[in-house]
Amino acid sequence: MDSSTLAAVDDALTADPTVDDATRLVTRDDTSLYRIEWIDDVAVTVSLLTDAHATVLDATVEKMRWQFRMLFDDRAAPSRTYEFATEQGLSIEILRIHRLEERRHGRFGLTDAQYESLIAALEYGYYEIPREMDMDELSDELDISHQALSERLRRAHRTLVEELVALDELS
């Protein structure tokens, strides 16, 4: 991170009314580590997340509204977190919940069949211009009907686009 970016982050933290104190601990390459002391409302939220054994994957703030990407260690934790937050008078909105799976495609909300169809379409040149394999040939290769493949690819595309838009909205 260049010095002007770091200075901008430092200034933003200083100006943020939800931050009591922020200290940059270390900067290495394009990453900086900060210790932040929050005001009471935020401290309640942070306590809520740590009590739920949540891992903050990403945090952003815009116009006094925090957005977190979280990892919870059990399925019921987001519901408990939501209930506790609303009891404390905090406004909370859960935008998406995904099951963390060992398979990379699971984090994007794709089914196994959708993922396999996308990979086959990519490998067999369906997405090339001009196409190296058309839908009929690809459906034969996958041993499914043309209609089933078409619907599977459209659902997969929709899921990926929704994920991309959701990630873009969070950043």
Side-chain angles (χ1 to χ4, degrees), residues 15-143:
D16 188 331
T18 65
V19 175
D20 267 346
D21 184 50
T23 305
R24 185 173 355 121
L25 301 175
V26 67
T27 298
R28 222 177 266 133
D29 299 322
D30 64 345
T31 303
S32 292
L33 180 64
Y34 286 83
R35 183 184 66 239
I36 300 174
E37 295 177 29
W38 306 98
I39 64 171
D40 289 342
D41 286 350
V42 177
V44 168
T45 304
V46 171
S47 173
L48 164 76
L49 298 174
T50 56
D51 289 349
H53 302 285
T55 301
V56 177
L57 301 175
D58 187 39
T60 58
V61 65
E62 186 176 321
K63 297 180 184 174
M64 298 286 295
R65 181 178 175 179
W66 280 92
Q67 291 188 359
F68 294 96
R69 245 180 6 116
M70 310 294 305
L71 178 64
F72 291 94
D73 64 356
D74 77 76
R75 187 178 180 99
S79 294
R80 289 193 310 269
T81 301
Y82 180 85
E83 289 170 9
F84 180 79
T86 54
E87 287 170 6
Q88 299 300 310
L90 299 173
S91 174
I92 186 171
E93 179 182 6
I94 298 175
L95 299 177
R96 293 194 186 279
I97 296 178
H98 292 283
R99 181 184 176 115
L100 183 63
E101 300 178 22
E102 289 182 23
R103 298 174 316 273
R104 179 179 167 89
H105 66 275
R107 75 176 194 200
F108 297 113
L110 296 173
T111 66
D112 289 341
Q114 289 170 344
Y115 179 77
E116 290 164 10
S117 296
L118 286 170
I119 293 300
L122 188 62
E123 288 176 353
Y124 287 112
Y126 176 76
Y127 294 114
E128 296 299 321
I129 299 172
R131 285 195 168 123
E132 295 171 4
M133 181 177 276
D134 67 20
M135 182 81 68
D136 288 324
E137 294 168 315
L138 185 57
S139 64
D140 288 344
E141 189 67 38
L142 293 172
D143 198 27

Side-chain angles (χ1 to χ4, degrees), residues 3 9 14 20 68 124 154 161:
S3 60
V9 170
T14 299
D20 267 346
F68 294 96
Y124 287 112
R154 282 190 311 207
V161 169

